[in-house]
Amino acid sequence: MFDTSRLTRFLPRRMQAQIDAYFEALDVLFAVRDPKVLGALGPSGVRGLVLHRGKQGIPTLVPATHKAHFDWTYPSDQPEMADLYRRAKTGQWDGDSLSWETSVDPLDPERYLIPDDFFSFAALEECGVKLDAREKLKFKHSMCAWMLSQFLHGEQGALYAAAQVTEAVQFFDGKLYGATQVMDEGRHVEVFNRYLDTKLEKLYQVNDNLFVIIDSLMTDGRWDMKFLGMQIMVEGLALGAFGTLYKLTKEPLLRQLLKMVIQDEARHVHYGVCALREHFTKHITERERQEREDWAFEVALLMRNRFAAYEVYEEWFEGIMTRADWRRGVYASPGMEEFRTVMFSRLVPNLREIGLLTPRIMPRYEEHGLMKYFGGLAADKLTAEKLIADLN
């Protein structure tokens, strides 16, 4: 990314941060090499990264242009999807059944939300910011509330995308399964919102990078792009993020909540692999496949930047330290590094499995250190039980 510090060092800190944000947005958009990918992501990028449509305090109106696919013969010719539907029916759970009576103290050092070494406080001190013990507890409360807020916003996007996919998907067994996912996502919105509202009592606005992805998926009329964006990219990365927080937190209600959500998400990503594996390798042109391959790479970078937690920076440190120094501190933090590691260890094998990680695109993933996850298991080879066992 272009270093703006020399150009802005004499400006007020808040103005420096604003300029840094605009240059970061331009850096993301100008990095897109395929004009079709830029055409797909560009308008959403402007609405999210420049206009900050998700942070205007009013509902966002997004035009949807997909076609609903009806099949009046009701075929049952996708046994893998039919099996997912059966598993989803038996795997339904009630959000009210969680232990909501559990007392949650965000400042409890014993049953902490995230551990002390999650964030690099040393990086803050290098910038002249030193927090005392209580301030560190409050800061960790903010960081956890921010992460869960982004989970909540992502689940709202997943709820609407799942509804669109159920309409647009061409497999009838997939429509039946998709209906169960809509229910799952609604339940996830319910429990994350309830936890933030009643336990952490704090909600952050949607991150701009996440808004771009959701906006792009809602406005794209191609059913397979909705599948790719939500089932593979957003759900796959979320599965890794949920797993990391489940592993790190000592707060029992949050662990219980995340465990139940992870079990649902494992099915969702499996569904995406199942639906796209044959489609991308046999039923689209090579040019179309390459466009989707490039799109997936650009979204992977957007998702990585999603975890820069600028909303926390704006609340705690804007005007005190530069946005660039904050970004470096976030990327140097052990907890955030683990988030990125687990997230991409879930995503990259799925892209490989559906044919979007060919030698053509591999050097770009290698450039960002993501090819080390190439040999992992794809979602169709992972069960929820194995995912949870690996985290304990």
Side-chain angles (χ1 to χ4, degrees):
M1 178 180 163
F2 181 76
D3 184 3
T4 62
S5 60
R6 292 185 179 181
L7 297 176
T8 63
R9 64 182 182 274
F10 298 117
L11 297 176
R13 285 282 173 83
R14 292 184 186 277
M15 191 174 294
Q16 289 182 33
Q18 192 173 39
I19 292 172
D20 181 85
Y22 283 129
F23 270 94
E24 186 176 26
L26 291 173
D27 187 63
V28 170
L29 294 176
F30 288 158
V32 179
R33 302 177 186 177
D34 189 316
K36 286 191 174 181
V37 175
L38 184 60
L41 287 176
S44 297
V46 171
R47 287 191 289 271
L49 300 175
V50 179
L51 301 178
H52 307 293
R53 286 281 172 84
K55 295 178 175 174
Q56 295 178 352
I58 57 175
T60 303
L61 300 179
V62 177
T65 58
H66 68 282
K67 295 179 180 179
H69 185 277
F70 281 79
D71 191 333
W72 306 106
T73 65
Y74 307 96
S76 181
D77 54 3
Q78 296 288 330
E80 192 172 355
M81 291 186 188
D83 180 62
L84 280 171
Y85 176 52
R86 287 189 291 270
R87 287 164 49 191
K89 287 190 293 183
T90 60
Q92 294 298 310
W93 50 280
D94 186 351
D96 287 337
S97 67
L98 298 180
S99 303
W100 293 108
E101 71 280 0
T102 302
S103 177
V104 177
D105 179 1
L107 305 184
D108 184 347
E110 299 299 322
R111 298 202 301 183
Y112 51 75
L113 296 167
I114 52 178
D116 290 340
D117 60 357
F118 183 88
F119 191 85
S120 176
F121 290 106
L124 294 180
E125 292 181 8
E126 289 176 4
C127 299
V129 177
K130 186 173 177 59
L131 304 180
D132 62 28
R134 186 161 183 82
E135 287 173 331
K136 288 179 180 179
L137 290 172
K138 290 181 176 179
F139 176 80
K140 291 195 300 174
H141 170 211
S142 295
M143 285 297 294
C144 187
W146 177 84
M147 288 186 287
L148 291 175
S149 296
Q150 303 317 310
F151 294 169
L152 170 60
H153 299 316
E155 294 297 332
Q156 182 180 190
L159 171 62
Y160 301 152
Q164 287 190 354
V165 164
T166 302
E167 293 177 333
V169 68
Q170 300 176 16
F171 314 108
F172 199 80
D173 287 318
K175 290 181 181 295
L176 297 179
Y177 173 76
T180 69
Q181 184 173 340
V182 175
M183 180 63 193
D184 289 346
E185 306 297 4
R187 185 171 55 247
H188 298 173
V189 170
E190 171 201 347
V191 296
F192 279 122
N193 183 55
R194 185 172 176 179
Y195 189 87
L196 284 160
D197 182 46
T198 66
K199 301 301 180 181
L200 300 192
E201 300 181 349
K202 193 166 192 174
L203 175 67
Y204 284 90
Q205 292 178 307
V206 62
N207 176 268
D208 292 332
N209 292 296
L210 178 58
F211 177 91
V212 170
I213 296 167
I214 293 174
D215 184 272
S216 176
L217 292 177
M218 293 295 100
T219 57
D220 200 309
R222 297 166 292 181
W223 75 267
D224 64 325
M225 291 298 286
K226 293 182 186 297
F227 249 101
L228 173 60
M230 186 51 64
Q231 304 297 123
I232 301 297
M233 306 300 296
V234 175
E235 296 280 44
L237 289 168
L239 184 59
F242 296 160
T244 301
L245 188 54
Y246 172 83
K247 179 180 177 180
L248 294 176
T249 188
K250 294 300 183 183
E251 201 289 286
L253 174 57
L254 182 55
R255 278 180 59 85
Q256 183 189 30
L257 184 159
L258 290 168
K259 179 179 179 180
M260 301 305 294
V261 171
I262 288 168
Q263 292 174 356
D264 292 342
E265 298 290 357
R267 291 194 306 271
H268 300 172
V269 185
H270 184 171
Y271 176 41
V273 170
C274 177
L276 295 178
R277 187 171 44 210
E278 181 176 343
H279 180 71
F280 282 168
T281 56
K282 296 182 180 179
H283 299 300
I284 60 175
T285 67
E286 178 60 16
R287 185 173 181 178
E288 289 173 327
R289 193 203 60 73
Q290 289 185 5
E291 179 191 348
R292 285 149 178 78
E293 189 171 61
D294 289 337
W295 189 92
F297 173 76
E298 301 302 341
V299 169
L301 294 189
L302 275 173
M303 294 296 286
R304 184 188 65 175
N305 292 343
R306 165 189 169 186
F307 277 87
Y310 290 126
E311 292 76 17
V312 176
Y313 161 77
E314 290 164 4
E315 177 190 18
W316 278 76
F317 304 119
E318 189 173 37
I320 299 174
M321 61 187 295
T322 68
R323 195 170 182 271
D325 284 339
W326 166 262
R327 183 167 54 245
R328 283 189 287 269
V330 168
Y331 288 160
S333 294
M336 302 304 271
E337 173 60 27
E338 184 166 357
F339 257 99
R340 289 191 295 274
T341 297
V342 177
M343 285 164 56
F344 286 103
S345 71
R346 298 296 175 221
L347 172 65
V348 171
N350 294 329
L351 293 175
R352 179 203 68 214
E353 186 67 18
I354 62 176
L356 296 188
L357 203 57
T358 65
R360 168 186 168 273
I361 199 74
M362 283 182 184
R364 299 181 72 184
Y365 281 89
E366 185 67 49
E367 181 183 346
H368 293 274
L370 300 178
M371 277 306 296
K372 59 186 175 183
Y373 310 118
F374 180 83
L377 293 177
D380 58 332
K381 301 295 192 299
L382 284 171
T383 65
E385 293 74 21
K386 177 171 173 52
L387 285 169
I388 294 296
D390 289 346
L391 293 169
N392 287 319

